[in-house]
Amino acid sequence: MSVVQNLASIRKDIPSWVKLVCVSKFHPESTIMEAYNAGERIFGESRVQELMEKQERLPNDINWHFIGHLQTNKVKYLVPFVELIHGVDSLKLLLEINKQAEKINRVVNCLLQVHIATEETKFGFSPEEILALYQSGTISNLSNIRICGLMGMATFTDNHQQVRREFQSLKALFDTIKRTYCAENDCFTEISMGMSDDFQIAIEEGSTLVRIGSSIFGQREY
Ligand SMILES: *Cc1c(COP(=O)(O)O)cnc(C)c1O
């Protein structure tokens, strides 16, 4: 199936209030343009170098999201143009994003990544760490960062019940933070969860942003 056909079939499963991030990592610019020409404008990449090269060459009305693990020494390259950084997973990274954003007088949109999977390898804060960041006032002091919500990745498993429970835990944490710390702030709105294999479950559990790669573009060649 072509990219356009894949998109048409995926779009049928995504309600209007959920945004689609087309995960284009490892795919060439020509493939990205097929999705662009089908109307897609949000693309996600997980490596800084690759993102910068694509950003330079592709249309400038694309909203680029960074969805990978970000190293502090690469933050300065992203901050000038990135629309949303999904995987912010340490205080050190928050401080660096804030510092680089301040230098160019920009407010950068970020999501805090929460560790919801059972696997050791997935990055992210624990729910307790995130609550502590809010409680201590650390978040509100980051004047050049706008925390738009949370991001999480479920365990890679066929056990749908487990995946569903993990997404529910992310939604519950989101609701707690929203209620406790962001009640008067309408920018804490996003829950980034769901990929090719589990986005339908994620949407049922409250996702507002799904990150889909291989179901649109096919297998990646590393
Ligand atoms: C690669 C990637 C995706 C897309 O995964 P697919 O299974 O190809 O849809 C989503 N989120 C993150 C964080 C990724 O790194």
Side-chain angles (χ1 to χ4, degrees):
M1 289 237 284
S2 70
V3 167
V4 170
Q5 287 169 321
N6 291 340
L7 272 169
S9 109
I10 288 165
R11 277 285 180 198
K12 282 203 211 93
D13 290 334
I14 301 180
S16 59
W17 60 88
V18 175
K19 291 182 280 289
L20 170 61
V21 181
C22 300
V23 176
S24 50
K25 61 187 185 195
F26 295 95
H27 291 288
E29 288 152 22
S30 56
T31 310
I32 297 177
M33 284 309 293
E34 291 177 42
Y36 179 90
N37 290 331
E40 300 302 331
R41 289 296 179 271
I42 308 177
F43 291 87
E45 291 280 336
S46 60
R47 295 186 306 178
V48 173
Q49 182 67 32
E50 183 178 347
L51 172 51
M52 285 167 60
E53 286 166 14
K54 288 175 172 172
Q55 187 260 341
E56 213 164 85
R57 305 230 285 260
L58 289 165
N60 59 19
D61 63 343
I62 290 180
N63 290 328
W64 291 104
H65 288 198
F66 188 79
I67 63 167
H69 179 65
L70 182 56
Q71 293 167 300
T72 46
N73 62 346
K74 305 250 172 88
V75 166
K76 57 178 176 288
Y77 303 117
L78 284 189
V79 154
F81 69 89
V82 74
E83 177 74 18
L84 179 64
I85 302 176
H86 285 238
V88 179
D89 60 358
S90 71
L91 178 56
K92 188 175 161 215
L93 189 53
L94 278 169
L95 294 173
E96 179 65 14
I97 295 168
N98 194 58
K99 180 175 133 191
Q100 296 297 337
E102 199 171 8
K103 278 191 192 167
I104 59 167
N105 214 358
R106 195 170 180 234
V107 175
V108 173
N109 296 324
C110 292
L111 303 177
L112 298 173
Q113 183 169 358
V114 189
H115 187 277
I116 55 171
T118 52
E119 293 142 333
E120 287 288 325
T121 53
K122 301 228 162 119
F123 296 103
F125 290 105
S126 68
E128 295 72 27
E129 286 169 329
I130 293 189
L131 291 169
L133 284 176
Y134 276 96
Q135 187 62 44
S136 64
T138 307
I139 295 289
S140 52
N141 284 333
L142 299 167
S143 49
N144 290 76
I145 289 182
R146 184 182 299 115
I147 302 287
C148 301
L150 303 177
M151 178 267 206
M153 288 169 83
T155 304
F156 185 70
T157 171
D158 290 335
N159 183 339
H160 289 185
Q161 280 313 109
Q162 181 180 351
V163 169
R164 188 178 294 281
R165 277 196 306 274
E166 292 172 358
F167 288 149
Q168 285 168 345
S169 73
L170 188 61
K171 174 68 160 73
L173 178 63
F174 173 88
D175 288 341
T176 300
I177 294 170
K178 178 98 187 157
R179 193 173 56 239
T180 317
Y181 303 104
C182 308
E184 280 126 61
N185 148 354
D186 55 1
C187 51
F188 194 81
T189 53
E190 305 297 338
I191 308 177
S192 169
M193 59 185 188
M195 309 176 24
S196 289
D197 289 338
D198 56 19
F199 76 89
Q200 276 130 330
I201 301 174
I203 290 171
E204 286 165 17
E205 299 305 334
S207 174
T208 67
L209 268 172
V210 289
R211 310 175 310 268
I212 302 181
S214 46
S215 296
I216 300 172
F217 297 114
Q219 289 306 314
R220 292 177 281 273
E221 288 179 34
Y222 295 102

